[in-house]
Amino acid sequence: MTATEDPVLEEETGPVAVACEEKMVPEPAAEVAAEAEAEADQQGIDFVTLGMFIIDEIEYQPSAPPVKDILGGAGTYSALGARLFSPPPHAGSVGWIVDKGSDFPPDLEALISSWGTSVLLRETPERLTTRGWNGYNGQQNRAFRYTTPKKRLTAEDLTPELLASRTFHLICSPARCRELVLEIKDKRADLPASISNGPGKAHDGDDDTAANHLPKPIFIWEPVPDLCTPDELLNCTNVLPLVDVMSPNHAELAGFMGDDGLDPETGEISTRAVERACEQLLGSMPLQSFCIVVRAGEKGCYLARNGGRKRTHKHKSKRKGKKPSALLHGGLRPDTDMEALFAGLLQDPEGSIAREEIEVDPGIERWIPAFHTDTCEEDDTDSVEEEGAEKGTGEQKRRKGKVVDPTGGGNTFLGGLAVALARGRGIEEAAAWGSVAASFAIEQIGMPTLGHDDEGHETWNGVRVDERFEEFKTRLAFSC
């Protein structure tokens, strides 16, 4: 993780790594990469992140040993979130960039290749790989610093295939977000017709100078915490019309408002402060349709979007029909048929009256819980009697933590959310995808373990992602 990237989706409970043994199906890295490239060519890219790749070193105080050479950075974790919901043959729909310095560990390259994504691995032997130090004190407060020079990504780094992505994850300041969105849109407009995303792409021999038919991209903006201040609030509101989703964590959102986002009595995350800040941002731009997704640790995430009117027409034919002969000429008379007079303005080419239908969009104001709601699960093996309860009737069950290391949870959340939006899901279901994706990222130090079950289905930490998502849908009590 970088100093400007959000590390927290759910509260951390301790620095104890989770060891998961899985039945692995080894494949040569070159073969996996070739398959990913072929998949991307067939179906296009759903997700691209401009977050950085970083090799992390994590140091805990006072007793736990440090952990080195861990995959990290906003780019890595957001790509993980998208990849979790993209098992083969869809793994190639996830795009990201990794700059390999002269010190790049070979085992990390093998791990990255095993995911089968459309990762752009670039050799940069003249430099060291971007590395970062993460330190946690006894209260699990995190400190960060770069230990080698960082390499930031720009729109110039995107290949034509990556530029054609359906969604883009940006983690930056408001001013840089504006620059990136405009640059990406300009470069997409200049792509040849042979670059198309998914079915219907141009065929060999087509005119490359013709306009492409790429859909409107979806931009997910994650603001950097250092510039989430009241001084940047105006820049923030100016960039909101350019993005589809703004996703700060609770502290970053509060920073724009000059607050800390905490309940003064309990010191916990204030859900009311989150709702109030979203209401203020949406109220300042009532005609805009962007969505705010606030990541609020163990509280889950809050979704907020303005309501309004959806305009639809029964008839969408673009053919221009002849004016009906019933049109009258000359001045109005007492016996003038007014309906016939205006029929030429109201009738469509088929002769029926085209009436506008207005559907009201109520907007969204909803909390989605975190998957690990209380960061622990029941342990039935050793229970004790509850004090004051009758013998044998009340038990206080010991519980063990499920959240081991929250680093990267927020970035992973956004990768899952973005790929859901790319595939046509609504924002509420997309947030559920994000919550499930984040749950896998925070169950261990570093990346979850990719494997396969006895039936050949892909698993992460021994669990199928689709099964965990179905469990979460049942808990949320809504149908996706």
Side-chain angles (χ1 to χ4, degrees), residues 167-187:
T167 60
F168 293 89
H169 167 240
L170 312 175
I171 174 166
C172 52
S173 66
R176 185 163 179 259
C177 178
R178 182 181 185 85
E179 294 174 3
L180 286 173
V181 169
L182 296 178
E183 288 176 5
I184 289 173
K185 285 185 174 181
D186 286 344
K187 289 183 175 296

Side-chain angles (χ1 to χ4, degrees), residues 372-444:
H372 296 308
T373 51
D374 52 7
T375 71
C376 54
E377 65 178 7
E378 292 187 357
D379 180 2
D380 296 328
T381 59
D382 188 2
S383 59
V384 294
E385 293 181 19
E386 184 178 6
E387 184 178 356
E390 295 182 9
K391 183 176 180 180
T393 60
E395 292 185 343
Q396 182 180 20
K397 297 182 178 181
R398 296 182 59 187
R399 305 172 71 82
K400 56 184 180 181
K402 286 294 292 182
V403 179
V404 174
D405 184 357
T407 304
N411 307 131
T412 309
F413 173 94
L414 291 178
L417 178 140
V419 80
L421 294 177
R423 295 170 188 167
R425 284 7 183 234
I427 190 64
E428 292 176 87
E429 181 179 354
W433 283 40
S435 295
V436 170
S439 71
F440 286 95
I442 61 181
E443 291 177 344
Q444 68 289 307

Side-chain angles (χ1 to χ4, degrees), residues 79-92:
L80 168 67
R83 173 61 181 84
L84 284 163
F85 280 94
S86 305
H90 305 292

Side-chain angles (χ1 to χ4, degrees), residues 80-101:
L80 168 67
R83 173 61 181 84
L84 284 163
F85 280 94
S86 305
H90 305 292
S93 67
V94 179
W96 51 308
I97 299 175
V98 174
D99 289 302
K100 298 166 46 183

Side-chain angles (χ1 to χ4, degrees), residues 105-356:
D107 57 333
L108 292 190
E109 181 173 356
L111 176 58
I112 291 171
S113 298
S114 71
W115 290 2
T117 61
S118 294
V119 61
L120 180 59
L121 283 164
R122 303 190 298 191
E123 301 282 351
T124 55
E126 73 282 358
R127 59 180 288 274
L128 295 174
T129 308
T130 304
R131 290 178 177 268
W133 173 88
N134 300 264
Y136 288 89
N137 61 18
Q139 287 73 44
Q140 300 306 315
N141 295 318
R142 174 177 172 270
F144 176 89
R145 69 170 182 270
Y146 289 104
T147 56
T148 61
K150 63 181 179 180
K151 184 172 177 58
R152 191 170 68 175
L153 300 177
T154 70
E156 296 291 337
D157 294 303
L158 299 177
T159 64
E161 290 73 22
L162 296 182
L163 274 170
S165 174
R166 296 178 178 88
T167 60
F168 293 89
H169 167 240
L170 312 175
I171 174 166
C172 52
S173 66
R176 185 163 179 259
C177 178
R178 182 181 185 85
E179 294 174 3
L180 286 173
V181 169
L182 296 178
E183 288 176 5
I184 289 173
K185 285 185 174 181
D186 286 344
K187 289 183 175 296
R188 283 171 63 94
D190 293 336
L191 290 175
S194 58
I195 300 295
S196 184
N197 208 336
K201 65 172 62 178
H203 299 285
D204 292 341
D206 286 351
D207 182 8
D208 272 2
T209 63
N212 63 65
H213 300 285
L214 295 173
K216 181 180 180 293
I218 298 171
F219 290 99
I220 294 93
W221 173 43
E222 182 179 355
V224 293
D226 291 351
L227 292 176
C228 292
T229 64
D231 292 338
E232 286 291 320
L233 181 58
L234 180 59
N235 290 332
C236 172
T237 55
N238 286 339
V239 81
L240 287 177
L242 299 177
V243 301
D244 299 275
V245 176
M246 171 193 178
S247 183
N249 66 19
H250 67 281
E252 292 157 357
L253 178 65
F256 280 121
M257 304 301 172
D259 193 5
D260 60 8
L262 301 178
D263 187 313
E265 296 183 359
T266 65
E268 297 181 351
I269 297 171
S270 170
T271 57
R272 180 66 192 109
V274 169
E275 295 167 3
R276 183 171 59 248
C278 288
E279 183 178 355
Q280 291 173 349
L281 277 178
L282 293 175
S284 67
M285 310 188 76
L287 301 181
Q288 300 298 326
S289 59
F290 64 88
C291 184
I292 302 175
V293 180
V294 184
R295 293 163 284 119
E298 72 276 7
K299 302 290 186 182
C301 67
Y302 181 66
L303 313 179
R305 189 190 67 210
N306 277 329
R309 299 197 304 173
K310 294 181 179 178
R311 293 177 178 268
T312 59
H313 294 271
K314 283 185 177 180
H315 303 281
K316 298 183 179 181
S317 174
K318 296 183 179 179
R319 294 186 297 107
K320 293 184 177 180
K322 295 182 179 180
K323 298 292 184 181
S325 58
L327 284 177
L328 300 180
H329 301 280
L332 293 178
R333 301 176 57 179
D335 58 347
T336 297
D337 186 340
M338 300 301 294
E339 183 174 346
L341 178 64
F342 289 100
L345 300 177
L346 299 176
Q347 286 181 353
D348 61 14
E350 285 73 28
S352 61
I353 303 297
R355 301 185 186 277
E356 184 180 27

